[in-house]
Amino acid sequence: MPFICENVECRAVLARGQVRSSHEDNGWCFYCPDCKARNELKDISVPGGPVELIQPERSDLPHKVIATARPLEDGRYAAQLRVQRALGVKGTYAVEERWEQLGVFLDAQEAIAHAKSFATDLLKQKA
Ligand SMILES: [Zn+2]
């Protein structure tokens, strides 16, 4: 099975021969050749046997949250949000959800703050 980079923006699919695993103080890992992100590995070998590395499935992968304020014609701002959710199960693509208008605000900062708190609640719910 190939390794998949855990960086949401990268998610490169890497043949095992493409990555060099290294043993560091806090365990095995490899660095993605594309984005240099550190990816954790787990040694599942039997005691005394050769090292056998797998990529642990994790539910705490980093998510990417993009909160923006879109200026409206009347001078107000619409809160916009994009959430790229890293998959707990291995897959090539992160799932992206988006909201064009979560609410309308007088202030751009307020609109962004609203979109961010919406994202926080959303990620908490499904965690
Ligand atoms: Zn990568």
Side-chain angles (χ1 to χ4, degrees):
M1 231 178 59
F3 290 139
I4 295 167
C5 178
E6 287 179 356
N7 179 357
V8 187
E9 290 165 81
C10 174
R11 297 198 74 80
V13 179
L14 306 155
R16 294 203 167 210
Q18 271 179 285
V19 302
R20 204 180 321 150
S21 48
S22 51
H23 192 239
E24 297 183 341
D25 292 343
N26 44 0
W28 286 92
C29 68
F30 71 87
Y31 289 88
C32 175
D34 291 350
C35 72
K36 315 290 176 221
R38 183 183 190 277
N39 284 265
E40 204 176 299
L41 293 173
K42 205 163 84 182
D43 182 6
I44 54 159
S45 63
V46 291
V51 171
E52 199 177 334
L53 298 170
I54 59 157
Q55 222 180 342
E57 285 197 1
R58 290 159 45 168
S59 54
D60 63 339
L61 295 174
H63 303 291
K64 190 182 176 196
V65 171
I66 306 153
T68 47
R70 180 166 51 91
L72 298 173
E73 280 176 16
D74 62 5
R76 294 185 300 170
Y77 295 89
Q80 274 186 315
L81 177 68
R82 280 164 63 200
V83 174
Q84 287 174 353
R85 200 192 294 267
L87 301 173
V89 181
K90 296 301 171 195
T92 313
Y93 299 103
V95 180
E96 180 173 302
E97 294 170 280
R98 56 189 303 160
W99 292 264
E100 294 300 328
Q101 193 162 322
L102 282 171
V104 175
F105 297 84
L106 291 173
D107 184 87
Q109 291 308 316
E110 246 174 76
I112 292 172
H114 176 75
K116 277 187 184 161
S117 72
F118 183 88
T120 307
D121 289 348
L122 181 87
L123 294 173
K124 229 185 281 169
Q125 273 171 27
K126 304 200 181 166

